[in-house]
Amino acid sequence: MTVYLPQNRSQSSSLEELVEQTVAHSEDRLLEQDIAQWQKDLRKRFEQIQQHPEQGLGFIEEHIRQATLHLQCLLVQQVMQKKANSVDETCPDCHHGLCDKKRRVPRSIDAYCGKVQLRRTHGWCPRCECWVFPADRVLGLREDSTASPLVQEMCALLVSKMPAEQAEALSLRVTGRRFSRSTLGREARRQGDNAIELRQQLVEAPLWAAPDITAKAPAGLDQPLQPFTLVIQIDAWNIRERDYWGQTKKRRRQNKELDRWHWVYTATCFRLNQRFTKGRGKTKLRAIITERSYVATRGGVEALTQQLYYEARARGLTQAERVLVIADGAVWIWNLVQDRFSEAMQRLDLYHANTYLWAVANELHGAGTRQSRHWVKPLLKQIRNDQVAKVITQLEELKPQLADSAAKATSKAIEYYQNNQQRMKYKEARRRNEPLGSGAIESTCRQLQCRMKRCGQFWSTRGDEALLCLEMFWRNQRWEKLFPHAKLTAIANN
């Protein structure tokens, strides 16, 4: 048998094009055969359902999903390959032509519907001095991962909501495929790192660059914006990390501290006209906030300040008629407010204010007793009516008569009220129908803790920050910035 080799580059190109056309033609024929086989299998499944009257709609849905999974895999592979074949053989960064090219280099990809195979061009960019796969960049494939973008999104979303061990079982039921806990955790970490990088780009953008507005635009763009109040609430909670993991005994022998609990700084902001009450009767009323932004970070107060300022601008900080900050008496919070929201109205959370009076009452008359409730009731009423100075005077007069523990609790209450007296204006809040407390951020902290503080969970700073950042992108409706393909789902459901 005689083999004729191409004599020049044009003959070589023609041969490659012929090979590509032959492969494409064979793939089309293969797809047609698979569609015919799928139709045959589907008819069998329909017949099976008809023979079993007890199989209802759930069985119908499950049979159709299983029957179409293989076909989806073939379709994904064919369309992906055609997309890769159409990519120019140039560097995706500098667009310079590649040299030393190798074509149809194989790669296995873990797609949502199963394993798919891709063949693409590999070449050297003399300008960037690196080897590149142009098709990989166009298809959104990472060099260090075999997961497709949709699988990456699934892993990120599942692990941000639950531990990887639970997500492993859930992935089989929800997606029809089982992803191992190691795959789930690894991909979630990668996407979390991407989210951190993207978040930093957003918050470091110039002040004149308007952030993406998450609040709905008013009806009629030509109409003037109605005056509104922007409410900001700030708090912090603890998370357990793997500090000096495996060195506990050694450090204890050296009398060194083991500080494994660290602060997660959290905030939320929303427009007052997007806060409503739900239910009937005073005992059933519950505040509902239709739209708001969230911040949660392990990066410290400075990181919180930067991210919160961005979210406040996204909620209309520069257009707000009035800005209201509600929080407890932590000094770092009000230093932050003075730094970035110096003109904002400051309000001390009423629940925290009441806590100090209850502490004194419990020391005087015992926790949960009728006497303690009788003693504290008029003082709580005075707090709500902005008579803080009167409460401080009564506590100061009472203090010399008290035992050590009660006197200590009284001193704390006096100091707390003196430091926050200007923030305890609750009559105005009721008149404006504004929240008296920071319940919105308290509930947010609780929700985050339900994910991050489960039994046996220890985090690294990088790991908890990655998951917190993913959760904030989801809550702030910026998920499509991480995964642009998610826009198709939003469009399809409108």
Side-chain angles (χ1 to χ4, degrees):
M1 178 179 178
T2 305
V3 179
Y4 296 94
L5 297 176
Q7 300 299 317
N8 53 46
R9 180 169 297 180
S10 62
Q11 290 178 334
S12 176
S13 301
S14 300
L15 181 59
E16 290 173 355
E17 291 176 0
L18 180 61
V19 171
E20 292 290 345
Q21 293 174 3
T22 303
V23 172
H25 181 64
S26 63
E27 288 177 348
D28 289 338
R29 290 185 57 190
L30 180 62
L31 184 60
E32 291 176 1
Q33 296 173 3
D34 284 301
I35 292 176
Q37 181 62 37
W38 166 72
Q39 291 175 335
K40 184 178 178 181
D41 176 56
L42 196 59
R43 282 193 294 268
K44 288 183 178 180
R45 290 178 180 271
F46 288 165
E47 293 174 0
Q48 180 182 349
I49 292 172
Q50 295 299 330
Q51 294 171 4
H52 295 81
E54 75 280 1
Q55 294 187 0
L57 178 58
F59 286 90
I60 296 174
E61 292 178 306
E62 188 62 29
H63 274 293
I64 293 177
R65 184 179 75 159
Q66 293 180 9
T68 55
L69 199 59
H70 178 62
L71 183 61
Q72 291 179 48
C73 188
L74 293 172
L75 288 169
V76 168
Q77 179 166 303
Q78 187 187 57
V79 177
M80 173 186 66
Q81 187 62 60
K82 288 185 176 180
K83 179 81 171 180
N85 294 341
S86 65
V87 175
D88 294 334
E89 296 178 349
T90 58
C91 175
D93 294 321
C94 67
H95 305 292
H96 189 275
L98 302 180
C99 58
D100 297 332
K101 291 178 286 188
K102 294 181 180 180
R103 293 182 174 86
R104 299 191 64 78
V105 179
R107 178 177 184 179
S108 179
I109 301 167
D110 196 13
Y112 81 99
C113 52
K115 292 285 186 180
V116 294
Q117 300 296 323
L118 173 67
R119 295 185 179 275
R120 70 273 198 251
T121 298
H122 182 224
W124 172 261
C125 177
R127 183 176 295 175
C128 299
E129 297 185 345
C130 63
W131 294 94
V132 293
F133 288 94
D136 287 6
R137 188 77 63 86
V138 171
L139 293 170
L141 300 175
R142 294 174 58 102
E143 297 179 2
D144 58 348
S145 172
T146 61
S148 70
L150 188 54
V151 170
Q152 294 171 12
E153 181 195 4
M154 290 177 179
C155 294
L157 189 56
L158 285 170
V159 177
S160 67
K161 302 300 182 183
M162 67 189 71
E165 293 79 2
Q166 298 178 17
E168 181 180 9
L170 186 62
S171 65
L172 176 62
R173 191 69 208 101
V174 173
T175 67
R177 295 197 57 211
R178 181 185 292 275
F179 299 105
S180 68
R181 64 187 65 180
S182 59
T183 298
L184 288 161
R186 181 173 59 251
E187 291 302 329
R189 172 70 66 82
R190 286 170 176 161
Q191 300 312 312
D193 291 341
N194 290 342
I196 292 173
E197 182 178 348
L198 178 57
R199 180 187 66 187
Q200 200 61 27
Q201 294 174 6
L202 292 174
V203 300
E204 289 182 351
L207 293 178
W208 51 262
D212 64 323
I213 303 299
T214 55
K216 293 181 179 178
L221 297 179
D222 57 340
Q223 297 180 2
L225 185 66
Q226 296 297 322
F228 66 92
T229 297
L230 182 69
V231 181
I232 300 173
Q233 299 185 9
I234 307 171
D235 205 351
W237 51 279
N238 277 317
I239 194 171
R240 185 168 56 174
E241 293 183 351
R242 296 172 180 261
D243 295 357
Y244 306 104
W245 195 251
Q247 303 179 33
T248 302
K249 293 182 179 180
K250 179 180 178 181
R251 293 186 66 83
R252 283 176 176 170
R253 286 196 299 266
Q254 297 173 351
N255 295 323
K256 294 182 178 179
E257 294 184 1
L258 288 170
D259 187 13
R260 288 183 175 146
W261 291 93
H262 304 276
W263 290 110
V264 176
Y265 297 94
T266 315
T268 187
C269 56
F270 55 91
R271 297 185 182 187
L272 186 62
N273 57 13
Q274 293 170 341
R275 176 181 179 269
F276 306 93
T277 54
K278 184 178 181 181
R280 295 181 179 179
K282 294 183 179 180
T283 58
K284 297 182 180 180
L285 289 178
R286 184 167 62 96
I288 300 293
I289 302 172
T290 57
E291 296 180 40
R292 58 173 168 145
S293 297
Y294 303 83
V295 176
T297 180
R298 265 284 290 118
V301 177
E302 183 177 353
L304 173 71
T305 304
Q306 189 179 35
Q307 295 169 36
L308 176 58
Y309 187 61
Y310 176 85
E311 297 297 341
R313 289 169 55 215
R315 285 290 163 192
L317 174 65
T318 56
Q319 294 85 26
E321 180 185 47
R322 171 182 167 92
V323 179
L324 170 65
V325 181
I326 308 176
D328 61 29
V331 176
W332 67 267
I333 293 179
W334 301 113
N335 288 340
L336 181 160
V337 174
Q338 190 61 36
D339 178 39
R340 285 298 177 96
F341 310 101
S342 57
E343 297 182 2
M345 173 66 187
Q346 301 179 8
R347 178 168 300 141
L348 181 70
D349 172 56
L350 181 60
Y351 173 82
H352 284 85
N354 292 343
T355 299
Y356 282 82
L357 278 178
W358 277 108
V360 177
N362 293 338
E363 289 291 341
L364 290 174
H365 304 287
T369 62
R370 181 187 301 177
Q371 291 81 0
S372 63
R373 292 194 295 270
H374 179 75
W375 181 85
V376 80
K377 185 176 181 179
L379 295 176
L380 294 176
K381 186 176 181 180
Q382 292 173 8
I383 291 290
R384 290 178 64 90
N385 291 327
D386 300 349
Q387 299 176 353
V388 185
K390 188 175 180 180
V391 173
I392 293 175
T393 301
Q394 294 178 67
L395 292 176
E396 288 176 337
E397 293 175 352
L398 180 65
K399 182 181 174 181
Q401 311 169 22
L402 304 179
D404 292 342
S405 59
K408 186 176 180 180
T410 305
S411 297
K412 288 183 178 180
I414 293 172
E415 182 180 5
Y416 191 78
Y417 294 146
Q418 287 176 339
N419 292 338
N420 295 282
Q421 186 170 356
Q422 298 303 317
R423 305 184 181 106
M424 301 173 70
K425 308 294 184 182
Y426 302 113
K427 291 176 66 176
E428 181 184 11
R430 293 196 297 273
R431 181 176 60 83
R432 292 176 174 269
N433 198 27
E434 295 174 347
L436 300 179
S438 56
I441 191 60
E442 295 288 345
S443 65
T444 300
C445 292
R446 177 58 180 164
Q447 293 164 19
L448 296 176
Q449 290 181 75
C450 287
R451 170 62 185 96
M452 310 296 289
K453 294 173 72 171
R454 302 195 182 195
C455 295
Q457 287 193 339
F458 288 80
W459 299 87
S460 65
T461 303
R462 178 189 172 193
D464 55 36
E465 183 71 8
L467 257 67
L468 287 169
C469 191
L470 283 174
E471 181 65 16
M472 295 305 104
F473 266 83
W474 177 262
R475 288 177 175 242
N476 291 328
Q477 301 177 26
R478 296 195 185 98
W479 195 250
E480 295 170 1
K481 286 186 172 293
L482 285 174
F483 305 100
H485 59 260
K487 294 178 181 179
L488 294 177
T489 303
I491 294 173
N493 284 282
N494 284 337

